Amino acid sequence: MEEVRCERELSPFQTISTTIFQVLPMHANPLGMLFGGIMEDWMVQASNMAATRIARKPTLLASLESLFFMSPVLVGENAVITSWIDYVGRSSIEVSLLVEAENPVMNERRLTTLAHMTYVAVGRDLRPTPVGVCIRPRGPDEEALYEDALKRRKTRDDRIKDRKQKVFDTTPPRPLIPGFMIVTQKVVMPEDVMQINALFAGRLMRLLDEATAIVATRYARGAVVTASVDSTDFYVPVLLGETLITYSALTYVGKSSLEVTAKVIKRDEVTGEERHTTTSYFTLVHIGPTGRSEPVPQAEITEDWQRKMLSEAEARRQARLSELQQFRENAEKVRAVLSQRS
């Protein structure tokens, strides 16, 4: 556990803030549904503002816990993002977000997703720096949020214990079916970075969502929507002027769902040095003209390595399905708590 020095003390509910984005046609697919990558970008924007406000210094996104999109946000609706701080360590900040789709005409809201993100406060050298804030829960509702944050923190610490080795894993992923991988390269430009010349994580998530959707669309031969994003950890920041290399590979084919892996490598073109930045698994669903799921072509699996890859992907799928019901129940519980406060 990090040693925390308390210069300020706050409770989770004292840190609540709300950010609202209006969904316009340019944000949506042909069916009028908000693109998942834009939603992820907006969520990172809201959480980054919350973390920076608490730290009073720049912050970098270190991890995004698994999230599921429960319902789409449509053109003409608002994406209402309520954020709060669950826990603050020495330099880490745990931010939670409840996202709702708001119909301003009907004055109704419905659950879209619940997200948890971890930020690290950094100095101008991008090294972690103390925050000096303590989160002290007051009452059973805040205590429950705080305890959940501690559990997620323990799980994340176990997940990233070998991150120093993962940084050097720059090998491209292998697609389940040859031909269903794309490689995109992009130079990180000034419009892509924050004030500390590091790539903004929301921009990266938008790029990954777009690339994985291309692969899924190409295989499904039809429109797809993002259904979930697995826990994603960011190992090293990507800096202004570096090249972002993204491998997006098909790794699972279900009845109507597809899993696409996105592996990101950053490259310094001057030195030739490459570092593994992150790997994430996106689940996308093929949808028809009415917005309902439709079958995708079934994969022809003939090789042992394909069977092994499918088996590993199926294990991830089962883990998502077992997590989904608990995720929904927890999201509704948090939503009810926040609704009572408002």
Side-chain angles (χ1 to χ4, degrees), residues 5 31 42 44 52 54 120 159 172 220 246 269 273 283 330:
R5 179 181 176 184
L31 296 178
W42 288 351
V44 175
T52 302
I54 290 296
V120 175
R159 194 174 66 231
T246 303
E269 297 295 353
E273 182 180 75
T283 300
N330 190 44

Side-chain angles (χ1 to χ4, degrees), residues 31-248:
L31 296 178
M33 300 175 181
L34 175 65
F35 282 119
I38 293 180
M39 182 75 262
E40 293 152 28
D41 187 354
W42 288 351
M43 291 162 64
V44 175
Q45 287 186 47
S47 57
N48 182 264
M49 285 189 286
T52 302
R53 232 179 239 138
I54 290 296
R56 296 179 181 172
K57 57 194 69 175
T59 60
L60 293 174
L61 183 61
S63 69
L64 162 68
E65 301 302 316
S66 295
L67 64 91
F68 300 86
F69 292 105
M70 312 305 297
S71 64
V73 190
L74 306 177
V75 170
E77 294 185 327
N78 299 323
V80 181
I81 304 176
T82 304
S83 61
W84 65 95
I85 309 299
D86 291 307
Y87 173 84
V88 177
R90 182 178 181 274
S91 58
S92 63
I93 303 163
E94 308 279 338
V95 185
S96 289
L97 308 109
L98 178 73
V99 184
E100 297 171 294
E102 179 185 63
N103 185 317
V105 177
M106 304 297 293
N107 193 28
E108 295 176 345
R109 292 186 184 183
R110 64 183 181 278
L111 174 66
T112 296
T113 193
L114 177 69
H116 307 287
M117 303 185 187
T118 302
Y119 284 83
V120 175
V122 298
R124 292 289 168 181
D125 57 0
L126 300 184
R127 293 182 178 278
T129 184
V131 176
V133 174
C134 288
I135 297 295
R136 304 291 189 205
R138 301 173 186 173
D141 289 337
E142 290 188 321
E143 189 70 42
L145 295 176
Y146 184 81
E147 290 299 324
D148 284 346
L150 291 181
K151 292 176 184 176
R152 290 192 302 272
R153 176 184 171 81
K154 174 65 168 60
T155 300
R156 186 186 70 253
D157 287 347
D158 291 342
R159 194 174 66 231
I160 64 173
K161 58 187 177 183
D162 58 347
R163 65 185 300 169
K164 291 184 178 179
Q165 287 73 45
K166 288 182 176 179
V167 167
F168 298 101
D169 176 18
T170 59
T171 56
R174 189 177 191 179
L176 177 66
I177 301 172
F180 288 97
M181 181 173 81
I182 64 171
V183 183
T184 58
Q185 299 192 36
K186 171 182 168 49
V187 176
V188 178
M189 304 295 285
E191 62 265 28
D192 302 318
V193 302
M194 301 182 293
Q195 74 273 27
I196 49 177
N197 286 336
L199 175 65
F200 178 60
R203 175 68 169 148
L204 176 57
M205 292 305 296
R206 184 184 293 207
L207 293 171
L208 297 188
D209 194 274
E210 291 173 358
T212 54
I214 290 173
V215 174
T217 300
R218 189 170 289 173
Y219 184 85
R221 301 173 193 162
V224 298
V225 293
T226 304
S228 68
V229 182
D230 286 7
S231 294
T232 302
D233 302 305
F234 300 90
Y235 307 130
V236 288
V238 184
L239 305 180
L240 177 67
E242 292 184 323
T243 301
L244 201 64
I245 306 170
T246 303
Y247 300 95
S248 302

Side-chain angles (χ1 to χ4, degrees), residues 226 276 287 313:
T226 304
H276 179 197
I287 58 172

Side-chain angles (χ1 to χ4, degrees), residues 250-325:
L250 181 70
T251 46
Y252 176 81
V253 176
K255 181 179 178 181
S256 60
S257 65
L258 303 160
E259 180 192 81
V260 181
T261 301
K263 184 171 184 177
V264 182
I265 308 298
K266 74 165 190 171
R267 177 180 172 85
D268 185 324
E269 297 295 353
V270 175
T271 65
E273 182 180 75
E274 294 185 349
R275 291 290 182 267
H276 179 197
T277 297
T278 188
T279 292
S280 187
Y281 295 92
F282 286 72
T283 300
L284 303 105
V285 176
H286 177 216
I287 58 172
T290 64
R292 295 183 178 275
S293 62
E294 292 193 352
V296 298
Q298 292 306 292
E300 294 185 11
I301 303 302
T302 59
E303 302 292 335
D304 288 342
W305 66 266
Q306 291 176 305
R307 296 186 185 94
K308 182 175 184 294
M309 182 180 290
L310 268 182
S311 176
E312 293 171 348
E314 180 62 33
R316 289 191 294 270
R317 177 177 175 273
Q318 291 302 323
R320 290 183 202 110
L321 291 176
S322 63
E323 186 181 355
L324 178 57
Q325 184 59 34

